[in-house]
């Protein structure tokens, strides 16, 4: 186990709190005008999926659990969960839909992801920063709209909604940020 200061905790880290493992869902640092800066950490207990929210002073130390981060390839999803394969030794790991969480909307067959494992069990998933998706429907362009300031709603091929510039039409492939589902740019392919 390694001790780290609370302000350096990031989404996806695995913490050991009172002998139980938690995966970090969000970590925010707050610096009020008066008083001590604090770090708000929302976590999910790995053993039973219970979500907890903790506040630490930014200089407090927390235990970071030892996890192995390895690249895996997403294979498929079925009733057992999401299946991933280690490309080095072809071992397969399965994660439940609950553990994958919001990331499932961006998973595509053959996608390389980083899986965090603790004692051979997959506990956390780290997606690539960006994915390429197709626009399935969007509003038509309105003449006179300027491209710099206005965005219009669009539906992506994975079922999520996002905002895109006016010149993007249905059928266009675009790059989407996996962190918040926002439009980055038009796909280069």
């Amino acid at each position: 186990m390694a001790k780290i200061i609370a302000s350096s905790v990031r989404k996806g880290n695995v913490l050991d709190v009172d002998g139980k493992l938690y995966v970090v869902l969000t970590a925010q640092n707050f610096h009020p005008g008066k008083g001590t800066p604090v770090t708000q950490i929302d976590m999910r207990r790995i053993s039973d999926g219970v979500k907890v929210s903790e506040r630490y002073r930014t200089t407090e130390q927390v235990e970071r659990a030892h996890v192995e981060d390895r690249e895996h390839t997403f294979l498929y999803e079925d009733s057992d969960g999401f299946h991933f394969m280690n490309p080095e030794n072809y071992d397969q790991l399965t994660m439940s839909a609950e553990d994958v969480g919001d990331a499932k909307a961006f998973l595509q067959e053959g996608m390389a992801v980083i899986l965090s494992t603790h004692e051979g069990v997959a506990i956390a998933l780290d997606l690539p920063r960006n994915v390429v998706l197709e626009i399935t429907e969007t509003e038509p362009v309105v003449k006179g709209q300027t491209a710099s300031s206005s965005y219009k709603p669009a539906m992506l091929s994975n079922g999520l909604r996002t905002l895109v510039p006016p010149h993007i039409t249905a059928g266009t492939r675009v790059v989407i940020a996996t962190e918040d589902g926002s439009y980055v740019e038009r796909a280069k392919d």
Side-chain angles (χ1 to χ4, degrees):
M1 302 283 175
K3 286 204 177 262
I4 58 171
I5 59 170
S7 62
S8 66
V9 172
R10 298 287 171 257
K11 179 181 175 181
N13 288 165
V14 178
L15 303 178
D16 186 325
V17 181
D18 301 326
K20 291 188 169 62
L21 294 181
Y22 293 83
V23 65
V24 175
L25 303 173
T26 61
Q28 292 179 307
N29 294 315
F30 295 103
H31 300 277
K34 275 184 172 175
T36 311
V38 292
T39 300
Q40 173 82 29
I41 302 175
D42 295 327
M43 307 177 280
R44 183 174 29 82
R45 191 164 43 226
I46 293 168
S47 59
D48 55 11
V50 172
K51 291 184 180 173
V52 293
S53 189
E54 293 282 338
R55 275 190 174 204
Y56 297 97
R57 288 191 306 277
T58 53
T59 55
E60 264 186 275
Q61 302 237 323
V62 292
E63 293 259 352
R64 187 168 173 191
H66 175 69
V67 293
E68 269 188 60
D69 292 335
R70 276 225 169 92
E71 187 173 295
H72 281 70
T73 305
F74 174 62
L75 298 175
Y76 60 93
E77 173 193 6
D78 63 12
S79 59
D80 295 334
F82 292 80
H83 298 268
F84 299 89
M85 180 185 69
N86 182 334
E88 294 168 20
N89 58 14
Y90 305 109
D91 285 349
Q92 290 190 21
L93 291 171
T94 305
M95 281 183 85
S96 69
E98 195 176 88
D99 290 342
V100 171
D102 297 337
K104 66 182 163 202
F106 296 108
L107 281 173
Q108 299 167 356
E109 276 186 31
M111 175 184 276
V113 298
I114 303 294
L115 274 189
S116 299
T117 57
H118 181 73
E119 296 174 0
V121 178
I123 53 175
L125 167 73
D126 193 16
L127 291 169
R129 287 178 77 138
N130 299 320
V131 294
V132 175
L133 295 168
E134 189 171 321
I135 302 290
T136 54
E137 63 182 67
T138 186
E139 298 168 2
V141 178
V142 177
K143 269 196 183 263
Q145 272 188 325
T146 58
S148 61
S149 64
S150 60
Y151 279 75
K152 62 182 180 179
M155 180 68 80
L156 298 167
S157 56
N158 65 355
L160 292 180
R161 291 189 135 334
T162 191
L163 294 173
V164 296
H167 66 276
I168 301 292
T169 57
T172 305
R173 291 173 50 83
V174 294
V175 177
I176 301 295
T178 56
E179 190 174 352
D180 58 2
S182 63
Y183 169 85
V184 177
E185 63 183 358
R186 189 182 207 137
K188 304 266 190 282
D189 52 353

